[in-house]
Amino acid sequence: MCRSSVMRLGTIIGLIVALSGCSTFHLTQEPFQPKGKKLAVIAGMTNDSSLSIAKSFGDELGKTSMFQVLSQKQVAQAIPNYPQLVKGPYKSAYFEIDVDYAKTDLERVKELQRHLGVDYVYVLWAPATVSHGNSGWFSKHYLVTQIVAQLFESPGGKEVGRGQYAVRVDDQTHQVLSEDMRRVALEMAEKTRTLK
């Protein structure tokens, strides 16, 4: 393995460790008082991993919070041609995500909120998946997907929270590990004061 590949792998592993050990969700409007209960989780990209993660996160948030989370089927029924590309808060997505929350297409988010008729929209983007580790006797090979997300409140599409995290994906089944999504959902429920 060449030196640049080793350095790149080190950067990826460092990012994964940093994201898994840190807070995954931050409120941008404090103090936060929930103004409603209906929430939709939206995949901001059309790739399979964004859709899979949106479904998994919505399922876990529905179990851990008092939010009434729309299913992905309900989201698809309310938004024509879902999933649709929503310009997200990042510049590049090769090995690292350069986050810039000012890049999000807020007009598109407001339009989606109107279609859905919900109090909150949680838009997530999963633009980068990288390989992590090798399979062995006591370990399993996982892909790691990096995610950037924002929580918007209706009416008006005001951003009230944002997240950045990484989740493991089973290399064989391509399913997101539920314990990773549960951890992210629990933190969001705690910080929004909606924990069951």
Side-chain angles (χ1 to χ4, degrees), residues 99-112:
V99 178
D100 181 355
Y101 288 101
K103 290 184 162 291
T104 303
D105 184 349
L106 295 178
E107 289 306 312
R108 185 74 184 109
V109 171
K110 290 176 192 176
E111 183 183 333
L112 294 173

Side-chain angles (χ1 to χ4, degrees), residues 25 27-40 67 106 109-114 117-123 150-162 188 191-192 194:
F25 181 79
L27 289 169
T28 57
Q29 301 291 315
E30 292 199 56
F32 178 81
Q33 189 64 35
K35 295 182 178 158
K37 290 189 175 190
K38 285 184 82 174
L39 182 142
F67 284 119
L106 295 178
V109 171
K110 290 176 192 176
E111 183 183 333
L112 294 173
Q113 283 181 316
R114 284 191 296 274
V118 293
D119 304 304
Y120 295 95
V121 172
Y122 183 86
V123 185
Q150 289 177 280
L151 179 65
F152 299 94
E153 186 175 73
S154 292
K158 178 173 77 172
E159 182 195 40
V160 293
R162 47 178 71 157
M188 183 176 156
K191 290 187 176 175
T192 57
T194 59

Side-chain angles (χ1 to χ4, degrees), residues 4-186:
S4 65
S5 295
V6 170
M7 289 177 63
R8 195 173 295 145
L9 183 60
T11 301
I12 293 166
I13 292 171
L15 176 68
I16 292 164
V17 169
L19 291 176
S20 65
C22 294
S23 177
T24 60
F25 181 79
H26 301 280
L27 289 169
T28 57
Q29 301 291 315
E30 292 199 56
F32 178 81
Q33 189 64 35
K35 295 182 178 158
K37 290 189 175 190
K38 285 184 82 174
L39 182 142
V41 178
I42 304 293
M45 300 179 75
T46 59
N47 61 1
D48 289 339
S49 63
S50 289
L51 277 170
S52 174
I53 291 166
K55 181 186 180 330
S56 181
F57 182 77
D59 291 347
E60 290 300 328
L61 191 63
K63 293 175 195 172
T64 61
S65 76
M66 292 183 281
F67 284 119
Q68 297 166 1
V69 181
L70 270 62
S71 70
Q72 286 296 291
K73 183 177 181 179
Q74 291 171 304
V75 170
Q77 289 171 344
I79 299 173
N81 302 314
Y82 178 77
Q84 297 179 6
L85 190 62
V86 178
K87 185 178 178 189
Y90 58 89
K91 280 196 282 189
S92 65
Y94 187 60
F95 282 113
E96 295 180 28
I97 299 173
D98 297 327
V99 178
D100 181 355
Y101 288 101
K103 290 184 162 291
T104 303
D105 184 349
L106 295 178
E107 289 306 312
R108 185 74 184 109
V109 171
K110 290 176 192 176
E111 183 183 333
L112 294 173
Q113 283 181 316
R114 284 191 296 274
H115 279 289
L116 293 162
V118 293
D119 304 304
Y120 295 95
V121 172
Y122 183 86
V123 185
L124 62 81
W125 297 266
T129 300
V130 295
S131 182
H132 175 63
N134 294 316
S135 296
W137 285 98
F138 301 106
S139 65
K140 186 170 173 71
H141 182 151
Y142 292 107
L143 299 174
V144 176
T145 297
Q146 299 174 54
I147 301 161
V148 180
Q150 289 177 280
L151 179 65
F152 299 94
E153 186 175 73
S154 292
K158 178 173 77 172
E159 182 195 40
V160 293
R162 47 178 71 157
Q164 185 176 0
Y165 47 94
V167 294
R168 294 171 293 168
V169 179
D170 188 291
D171 190 31
Q172 294 175 341
T173 66
H174 302 288
Q175 295 294 311
V176 179
L177 267 63
S178 59
E179 59 261 26
D180 288 3
M181 294 313 305
R182 188 174 306 115
R183 174 181 52 85
V184 175
L186 276 168

